[in-house]
Amino acid sequence: MFEQQQQLFGTVRPLSWRDRYTIVVRSKRWALLRDKFIHRCGSRCMRCNWQKTHWSKGRTLELHHRTYERLGAEAEGDLELLCSVCHARADEERAAEGRRRADAALYDARFDGWARACFGDDYWGIEDEWMHDQFEDWLERKYDEGY
């Protein structure tokens, strides 16, 4: 699906993630997946059980990516049918989880750099809890110093 490329000033560049996402959610395949989920779920939100009726106003049913790992080749478990209210919440939950993972990765990278600087590349043999306590003390001092 993403073999398509854009022509830009005579050079070919790969599609951006946003371009790929837009292609996916505007595709016939996506519309068919959405219809399949609506039919299977009885026009109900998979989280709050709200049901779309002919009289429904304001709220819609939307197909939500639980993960983007297989964008364009989604497994059914990657998706869920949500009302627009639950979809907004689910997007924020996914964003919060992404921020949490990014913060954890940054912490791990800082710890690794600190441990290598203090104890060398073979710091793995040192007692873990003691080393993390030392790292936390170091972070606190750095924070107090304004870093």
Side-chain angles (χ1 to χ4, degrees):
M1 172 180 265
F2 301 122
E3 290 77 32
Q4 297 174 316
Q5 299 202 338
Q6 295 178 330
Q7 191 73 19
L8 181 65
F9 304 113
T11 61
V12 177
R13 69 171 177 84
L15 293 172
S16 69
W17 183 89
R18 176 55 69 187
D19 292 340
R20 291 179 15 231
Y21 175 82
T22 300
I23 289 168
V24 167
V25 298
R26 290 184 181 171
S27 70
K28 182 156 182 92
R29 177 184 168 275
W30 188 257
L32 291 171
L33 267 174
R34 182 181 175 277
D35 290 346
K36 180 180 178 179
F37 269 78
I38 287 172
H39 178 73
R40 185 176 353 148
C41 296
S43 297
R44 291 185 179 275
C45 174
M46 292 171 73
R47 290 201 180 183
C48 72
N49 214 28
W50 174 83
Q51 184 172 24
K52 179 171 179 56
T53 65
H54 294 294
W55 308 276
S56 299
K57 292 187 180 174
R59 199 184 287 199
T60 59
L61 286 172
E62 303 165 350
L63 199 51
H64 168 70
H65 279 96
R66 298 172 73 193
T67 178
Y68 292 115
E69 289 178 33
R70 289 168 285 280
L71 182 64
E74 294 86 357
E76 289 194 18
D78 295 344
L79 305 169
E80 59 185 332
L81 185 68
L82 302 178
C83 69
S84 49
V85 173
C86 289
H87 193 184
R89 285 186 195 131
D91 283 345
E92 180 50 41
E93 289 166 5
R94 185 182 52 228
E97 176 60 20
R99 288 188 298 272
R100 188 202 61 75
R101 283 194 313 265
D103 288 347
L106 177 60
Y107 179 91
D108 289 347
R110 290 184 78 191
F111 175 80
D112 184 64
W114 171 85
R116 287 175 191 275
C118 292
F119 306 106
D121 288 342
D122 296 326
Y123 68 85
W124 296 102
I126 300 172
E127 203 269 312
D128 195 49
E129 187 174 336
W130 174 84
M131 198 166 28
H132 275 278
D133 289 343
Q134 297 299 308
F135 178 63
E136 290 294 330
D137 291 345
W138 177 81
L139 281 177
E140 193 172 312
R141 285 193 309 276
K142 288 296 183 188
Y143 179 78
D144 291 344
E145 294 170 8
Y147 287 98

